[in-house]
């Protein structure tokens, strides 16, 4: 392993990488913490890692030093590319840098399986990125993702809690999810306003076939659009009677389990098929 890597703070100063709020830039300098994140999902040997938003490359170093077969790092900020190229020189043939918007890139076209995503996500696009990955979750062996704690809490939330909602249901439907650990805001430069948390997702393989992704998105959006109302009222916009899925019409969205939402999604798909 290369031991001659320059300190990250020097890299940032030399390449003038002052953090930009518009890109959700909060950098991690603590190499022990970066190593803990890199290794949280298990052994990386033989694994092709996709990192979103490497920035100056702190977490990228840790992933490479943890033995990943390859790292494909997608970064939107062109200012970071020269610094990342220097890092690539220290790990010949193992770091592939792509300048671009991760929202517009299909990682499965770039990187062969087995694939794992590891990212300290830019908070402003973390949820849409997650939804995109969930749509093709079985293409990944695992995802190690850092979110604002409030989002991480929503991902792991159980029925009848305040945090339980669309994101909990779709994520838990597609993946096993485990809360990893919190990261204090002061670990970042500059510190964000809130605590962060690492979550570990292991996609179900093959992907669940008990409903379509589109139908799950539709019924969860309608049900949680008016989360305090009874389903007979919140699902009216879809013309869907909860009884069609054996669900009491007086139930509320936050009381339903993931399999019950799948049943609703199937009932809605059945109903719209009849209408075609
Ligand atoms: N990985 C670095 C670390 O842990 O120190 C930086 C993490 S910082 C929270 C998020 C990174 O994502 C920034 O480098 C930012 O430029 C990048 N980024 C923001 N939006 C992006 C997008 N749409 N596609 C790819 N990268 C993006």
């Amino acid at each position: 392993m290369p031991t001659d890597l320059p300190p990250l703070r020097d890299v940032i100063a030399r390449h003038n990488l002052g953090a930009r709020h518009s890109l959700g830039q909060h950098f991690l300098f603590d190499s022990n913490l970066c190593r803990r994140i890199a290794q949280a999902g298990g052994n990386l040997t033989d694994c092709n890692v996709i990192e979103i938003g490497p920035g100056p490359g702190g977490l990228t170093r840790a992933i490479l030093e943890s033995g990943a077969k390859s790292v494909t790092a997608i970064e939107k900020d062109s200012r970071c590319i020269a610094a990342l190229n220097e890092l690539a020189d220290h790990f010949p043939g193992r770091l592939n840098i792509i300048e671009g918007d991760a929202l517009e890139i299909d990682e499965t076209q770039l990187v062969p399986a087995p694939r794992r995503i590891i990212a300290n996500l830019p908070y402003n696009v973390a949820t849409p990125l997650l939804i995109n990955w969930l749509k093709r979750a079985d293409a990944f062996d695992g995802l190690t993702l850092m979110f604002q704690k409030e989002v991480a809490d929503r991902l792991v939330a159980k029925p009848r809690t305040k945090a339980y909602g669309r994101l909990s249901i779709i994520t838990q439907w597609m993946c096993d999810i485990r809360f990893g650990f919190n990261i204090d805001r002061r670990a970042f430069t500059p510190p964000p306003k809130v605590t962060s948390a690492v979550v570990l997702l292991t996609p179900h393989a093959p992907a669940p076939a008990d409903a379509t992704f589109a139908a799950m998105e539709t019924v969860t959006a309608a049900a949680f659009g008016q989360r305090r109302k009874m389903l007979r009222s919140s699902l009216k916009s879809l013309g869907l009677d909860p009884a069609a899925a054996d669900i009491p019409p007086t139930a509320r969205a936050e009381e339903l389990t993931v399999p019950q939402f799948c049943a609703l999604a199937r009932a809605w798909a059945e109903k719209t098929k009849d209408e075609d």
Side-chain angles (χ1 to χ4, degrees):
M1 290 300 150
T3 51
D4 52 347
L5 289 170
L8 262 188
R9 286 183 196 278
D10 292 359
V11 173
I12 286 180
R14 201 155 34 80
H15 291 277
N16 204 8
L17 300 179
R20 289 201 173 143
H21 181 72
S22 60
L23 286 166
Q25 291 182 336
H26 300 281
F27 301 133
L28 281 175
F29 292 142
D30 180 337
S31 55
N32 288 328
L33 185 54
C34 287
R35 198 173 314 119
R36 190 173 173 209
I37 297 164
Q39 296 174 0
N43 193 342
L44 296 179
T45 319
D46 297 331
C47 194
N48 294 308
V49 174
I50 299 146
E51 188 195 1
I52 308 302
L59 181 56
T60 322
R61 293 177 177 197
I63 300 167
L64 287 159
E65 286 171 346
S66 298
K69 184 175 171 192
S70 74
V71 178
T72 298
I74 303 171
E75 174 56 62
K76 191 172 175 182
D77 185 352
S78 57
R79 297 178 309 155
C80 299
I81 303 302
L84 292 165
N85 279 329
E86 285 177 10
L87 185 59
D89 291 342
H90 287 268
F91 295 91
R94 289 176 60 209
L95 175 57
N96 177 25
I97 299 146
I98 295 180
E99 182 183 341
D101 183 341
L103 281 170
E104 292 169 4
I105 291 174
D106 178 355
E107 301 85 358
T108 60
Q109 299 297 310
L110 297 175
V111 179
R115 309 176 188 94
R116 168 173 285 278
I117 297 184
I118 302 181
N120 170 11
L121 289 172
Y123 293 147
N124 43 350
V125 290
T127 305
L129 282 170
L130 175 64
I131 296 286
N132 277 351
W133 295 325
L134 291 176
K135 285 181 181 162
R136 49 200 151 91
D138 60 346
F140 305 104
D141 278 25
L143 301 91
T144 303
L145 303 176
M146 199 187 315
F147 293 94
Q148 295 183 41
K149 169 115 174 39
E150 176 257 325
V151 177
D153 286 343
R154 281 163 53 203
L155 296 179
V156 300
K158 295 295 171 210
R160 298 175 188 274
T161 62
K162 222 168 129 190
Y164 188 63
R166 294 184 67 191
L167 210 50
S168 333
I169 291 151
I170 306 249
T171 307
Q172 293 170 28
W173 175 49
M174 296 304 290
C175 304
D176 276 331
I177 176 156
R178 187 159 61 84
F179 190 90
F181 46 91
N182 288 331
I183 301 184
D184 192 281
R185 52 187 285 281
R186 287 167 301 186
F188 299 88
T189 303
K193 290 202 176 75
V194 292
T195 303
S196 296
V198 172
V199 292
L200 300 151
L201 284 76
T202 308
H204 301 305
D210 49 357
T212 67
F213 203 93
M216 282 295 268
E217 284 192 300
T218 302
V219 294
T220 53
F224 283 99
Q226 300 171 297
R227 68 181 288 143
R228 293 192 194 290
K229 294 210 169 155
M230 293 178 191
L231 289 169
R232 72 170 165 225
S233 145
S234 55
L235 296 181
K236 220 173 235 166
S237 58
L238 299 180
L240 181 61
D241 179 356
D246 288 330
I247 290 164
T250 53
R252 291 179 165 79
E254 64 176 25
E255 297 164 6
L256 298 198
T257 62
V258 173
Q260 285 178 307
F261 270 104
C262 290
L264 274 180
R266 282 196 301 277
W268 182 72
E270 195 59 34
K271 180 184 162 340
T272 46
K273 183 182 86 189
D274 291 347
E275 286 167 1
D276 283 345

